Amino acid sequence: MSLTSKETTENFETWLNKPFVSAELKQSLADASILILPTEGFRNHEGPLFPVHTSELYEFLKSKMPEDTIIDICVDSDNFKELALHSDYKRIGNFIVKEMALPLLIGLILLYAQQKYFKDDQSSSTQVVSTTNGASTTVNNSPNTTVVNTNVTVVEKEKPVEEEKPPVKKYHNPPKIKFSYTVVDTTGACKEFEFEGTAKDLETVVEGLNKLNGDGDR
Amino acid sequence: MEIDKIKEELSSVSTKEINYSELAEILKRKKAEAVKLSDEPLAKEIWILEQVCKIQQRYLEAFNKIKQRDFYNAWCLLEKAEIGLLFLKKHFSINENPYQLKFINDVIRKYQSIYPYRLFFSTELIEKEKECSICGKVYKLRDSCGHITGEIYNGELCLWKVTKSELVGVAVVENPVHKYAVAFLKSGEGEGVEDNYDYSSLEYLMKLINQPFDTWDIDFVVKYVSHNLFKTYSPDETCPCNQTDKTYSECCLKEKGVKSLFHEFVVEKPSKEIILPNSIAIKLSK
Ligand SMILES: [Zn+2]
Ligand SMILES: [Zn+2]
């Protein structure tokens, strides 16, 4: 897993002034706490693109957000296009988010990814992601699935002595997800984070964020 | 035939032959009735049974194709069954059910892991327009029809149909979106492709098992093969273990032998005992 961060000068303003955001849209995005951001300039394609399934993610996030947290997509409706790439990674997307809404966003991304990509994962847990404004959302994984094949437990076999960890096919690796987010704190300072890892890894991040939140309250 | 009878029928998949086209007809009729009566839960239950039919049928067909050594088509059917399971799992727990779905789910993975395929084509696509399979409405940001992909409406699965797209590239990958896009070598000038893959592990397994629901398992074991067998390799060549880009001297030459991957099959009711070269047969202690 990796979670890297770097300083950035990009803020909400930067994105709202992009050519693919009309004056009308700019106004309605002004109050947003979270924006889903496009990437620009893929190969020869000019203009903004979003990773495949962004519309699904957007509808999902919108339906789970508390009323006072506005999420939107940083593009005019007519300009919305999705890019489907090969899937070594499941690309969730890029976001810019106000610090206050960050735990909520990460918690919901975890829930989304678990439902969509990690159904088969052995990990199962329930987590409560709390936000600074007191609202909370429950991240609940599907019922535990056991991967152990009970059909063959009766069989005993001798393992050869010379043995190493068996390699697996790449297409059987647990799916990894990838996303980035720029956090804007109350002073206007911005920091960009990039996450790459499995569901378990993301759970760790969520736990960390919760801890940070808890410390902040004290 | 009543729904309960159909369930019973589907439960007996491992012991008797099922007439799937007959079942499909009945289910289709029953679903139409349920939709007419606006009975959403019943329509959904029927969708689940339809899905079970498809998964069982595809798996059985795949098994037969493997038996007939039609390996690539079997591979595609296994993927179809896998996708069917993926959609079904959202609405139906496959863990404690009588339709052998857990078995099928696990065995697909096992078959896939002994297939020799490693490289696949994967398209890079810009999706410009898509429509909802339930209502036909073109997706518009901030003005969605409200149907959610993967959900069941009136006994039908909601999916996006991409109606306008632009192909921007093709990548060769080890972890593809679609497993059917296996990389084959082109043969000569013509249209045809050659299947040069080595299916000996699958062939070996097929000699051991007879029925689609026979229990078997697989392990992957790394063994060291004597350097004497690789005398033609120079130390500066790519290592003959085929698992790295390193040279022979940087990789396996440091070890007691060349790393080789062995498939180890565990079978409950082995039909014959044939030992192919490069295979280890494990006897079961009963
Ligand atoms: Zn619709
Ligand atoms: Zn080696």
Side-chain angles (χ1 to χ4, degrees), chain A residues 15-31:
Chain A
W15 285 100
L16 294 180
N17 286 320
K18 293 278 183 184
F20 43 80
V21 177
S22 65
E24 199 184 38
L25 179 65
K26 184 176 169 180
Q27 211 165 19
S28 78
L29 296 186
D31 293 330

Side-chain angles (χ1 to χ4, degrees), chain B residues 239-242 244 251-252 258-259:
Chain B
C239 187
C241 71
N242 275 329
T244 122
C251 183
C252 291
V258 174
K259 270 180 260 161

